[in-house]
Amino acid sequence: MNLAGYLPLFIDLMLKSTVLLALALLAAYGWRRASAANRHMIWLAAFGALLVLPLVATFVMRGTERPMAGSPMLVLKVPAGPARVITSGPMPPVSGQALSPLAKRAAMSSWRDGLVFVWLAGMATLLGLRAAGAVRQHSLRRRCGLVRDARITEWFGQIISDHGIGRTVELRASDECRVAMTWGTLRPVVLLPASVLSWPQDRLALVLRHELAHVRRGDCLARFFSQVACAFYWPNPLVWLAARRARLAQEQACDDRVLASGVASEAYAMELVAAVRDLNGWRWFGGAVAMAEPSTLERRVLSIVGEGCDRRPLRGSMVAATSVCAVLALVGCSQATVRDESRPAKEVGKGAPVEIRSWFVELRDEEPGVKEAMSFLDDASRKGSDTATVAGILTEAQTAVVIKRFAGLNRANLLSTPSIRVRAGNPARIQVGQDFRYPTHWEKDPAGREWVASAFQTRNLGVEMEVTPRTNEDGSIDLDMNPRITGLEGFVEQEMRDVVPAADKVSDGEEKPEREWPKVKTPIFTTRAVQAAVARLAPGQTVVLRCGTQMETVRDTTTTIFGKVSKDELNWTHSSVLVFVSAKVVPAAGAAPAR
């Protein structure tokens, strides 16, 4: 299973959920003087938006295969690995050096798969715990019995009528229960401790009013929404903070309903403290709404005994305002998306001809005008977005200006400007230079007097590049490139004993003396090469590659007007090579040119 493909969706959801929850926090802070029921509506709208967000994000990401003009775009970059620079030694075959895009992306996706797996595993674990809690609730409901005491059922029916609850609510009791709790949306259940038969009238009334307030408000469904959101966005710490704030506002809203019925605030606060004390470490089921929770006790008691608090129920204007704000926030988030440019777009037009042009420019870093000529990179797009191999992306106009600027430098060497046409999806090899043939093996001539070369090797001195273009649906082009420059550094003298067969080193069973071994000159080559893959190159754009640096000597000679040499010295300088590569689809004969 390719989990790495879900990484853009994961990052997209984490970023957008952070924005939505931050807006909810600001709204809750702005309406901190509002009643608990109205503040809870803010969090309920936020969780509703979070649950709809995956559908919106999936729809937007599938519907925006083409870049959207004028819309913000968050781009996820994955380094393609460091470029390789070969400074000496024999050059392997070009076909063996070119890494396929699939091999590169397979190496990249290991950590991506792991990250997505951790996210999905955490989500599955939390949802599994929630499902296990629902199973335990169902099992407990079957084990506990209905409350049939006339006094309790009479109070229960009266409070249901006061709250205006039209659904059937089951009232059950169990010795496995330490604190009153409620669960269920379609078939609500209020579960009380078995000691409810001995409770005084006042305590029974306030406990039933609190639990039935949860039923009237639909808090079990709201709690379910928050738990699912926490499971889906569990790596985001704001979602846990929002769930805690929502739980507190939910309980305070039910407390306000109890106090509105005329219950004394001091007596109700003492009842909550006693309920938390009776818990004694007992944990209720995750899907149930318990009357007393230790984590919210302090804030609830302060709110109950406080004076001047807004205890009004939920207002219709608040429902409308929060709903509109949630919709606007979703619409705003849908205008941004995360695109993973390390993954290729869907390839089309596999047989379409693509024209590839390249410029190989050698520069000496210390020469006057080089730094000014390199200033074009300040305006290049995608600057610094890839590894050090990719210097930037230029437009067609920028490329023309830069090449002209380099042509005006005295010490800038335009090595070659090859171009080639190849069908998309097929590899092409560009090679410009000359063959250098040199001996690698010597043998004695038939007369046994002189050494003659018996084997030769040929090296290409110049520039070469293997490139594979791929076209995408949106007209962009992916390039997999492997440019290299090979030069002759010089010759070194080497004793022939190191390059002749072992049989020629022996005469009459004894090794020949050293003076009989002449010296030969062996060529030394310098090869600079890199590998790079660039995705979504727009038609006309040019990618600039750094193809390595090397130290070289430059003779600095100064001659007087009389022809006398006044200065003649060798200086070391850095020499670097830039490779400009552009690609565009060539329209078929009779077809309209691409715009």
Side-chain angles (χ1 to χ4, degrees), residues 118-129:
V118 171
W119 170 46
L120 295 178
M123 180 172 60
T125 301
L126 293 174
L127 292 177
L129 292 176

Side-chain angles (χ1 to χ4, degrees), residues 70-371:
S71 63
M73 186 73 66
L74 300 175
V75 180
L76 171 65
K77 287 288 187 177
V78 180
R84 298 188 302 157
V85 179
I86 306 173
T87 56
S88 64
M91 181 174 62
V94 174
S95 59
Q97 285 289 326
L99 294 179
S100 67
L102 292 179
K104 288 183 179 180
R105 286 155 189 147
M108 294 178 209
S109 63
S110 57
W111 68 270
R112 300 153 59 94
D113 286 334
L115 182 60
V116 176
F117 176 79
V118 171
W119 170 46
L120 295 178
M123 180 172 60
T125 301
L126 293 174
L127 292 177
L129 292 176
R130 175 62 181 84
V135 172
R136 293 177 61 191
Q137 290 171 7
H138 181 71
S139 176
L140 179 61
R141 177 181 174 276
R142 296 181 61 182
R143 293 197 305 269
C144 61
L146 292 171
V147 177
R148 303 187 183 277
D149 184 87
R151 179 179 65 93
I152 298 176
T153 55
E154 180 181 357
W155 269 103
F156 188 66
Q158 181 180 345
I159 297 174
I160 287 179
S161 177
D162 293 343
H163 283 305
I165 300 174
R167 290 168 291 170
T168 300
V169 184
E170 296 181 1
L171 180 62
R172 295 178 177 270
S174 173
D175 54 2
E176 300 180 36
C177 177
R178 300 282 184 87
V179 65
M181 65 176 63
T182 301
W183 70 80
T185 302
L186 300 178
R187 298 178 59 185
V189 177
V190 176
L191 182 63
L192 302 177
S195 59
V196 66
L197 298 177
S198 61
W199 283 4
Q201 193 86 354
D202 294 341
R203 182 182 184 186
L204 176 64
L206 64 89
V207 169
L208 289 179
R209 288 186 183 279
H210 181 92
E211 297 305 320
L212 289 174
H214 282 303
V215 176
R216 177 66 179 85
R217 288 169 37 83
D219 285 340
C220 292
L221 182 60
R223 182 71 62 91
F224 174 75
F225 286 163
S226 66
Q227 289 173 338
V228 173
C230 288
F232 207 91
Y233 300 93
W234 68 265
N236 191 341
L238 289 182
V239 74
W240 298 101
L241 176 62
R244 182 175 179 179
R245 296 283 181 88
R247 248 187 345 261
L248 175 61
Q250 191 178 71
E251 295 297 333
Q252 288 177 334
C254 293
D255 295 339
D256 292 341
R257 279 185 171 268
V258 175
L259 295 175
S261 65
V263 176
S265 58
E266 293 80 4
Y268 186 49
M270 293 300 296
E271 175 61 28
L272 290 181
V273 174
V276 172
R277 183 175 61 248
D278 292 342
L279 284 176
N280 193 22
W282 182 81
R283 302 298 296 174
W284 57 92
F285 306 105
V289 180
M291 177 178 176
E293 300 182 14
S295 60
T296 61
L297 178 62
E298 181 180 358
R299 297 283 299 273
R300 290 176 62 187
V301 170
L302 292 176
S303 176
I304 290 170
V305 301
E307 297 181 358
C309 296
D310 186 0
R311 304 189 188 279
R312 288 176 296 179
L314 181 63
R315 295 175 294 179
S317 59
M318 190 65 180
V319 176
T322 52
S323 300
V324 170
C325 291
V327 172
L328 292 177
L330 279 174
V331 172
C333 288
S334 66
Q335 298 304 308
T337 185
V338 173
R339 189 182 299 279
D340 185 357
E341 291 200 346
S342 67
R343 300 178 66 244
K346 183 178 178 181
E347 295 180 8
V348 296
K350 186 176 179 62
V354 178
E355 182 181 15
I356 300 172
R357 299 187 63 188
S358 59
W359 298 264
F360 290 75
V361 181
E362 184 178 29
L363 302 170
R364 293 187 177 90
D365 299 344
E366 298 178 1
E367 291 296 329
V370 170
K371 291 184 178 180

Side-chain angles (χ1 to χ4, degrees), residues 392-423:
I393 307 294
L394 301 178
T395 64
E396 190 171 2
Q398 288 175 328
T399 303
V401 172
V402 169
I403 296 299
K404 183 178 180 180
R405 188 179 300 175
F406 282 147
L409 297 178
N410 294 330
R411 297 295 181 90
N413 186 13
L414 189 60
L415 299 179
S416 182
T417 59
S419 62
I420 194 173
R421 287 190 180 185
V422 61
R423 293 196 175 275

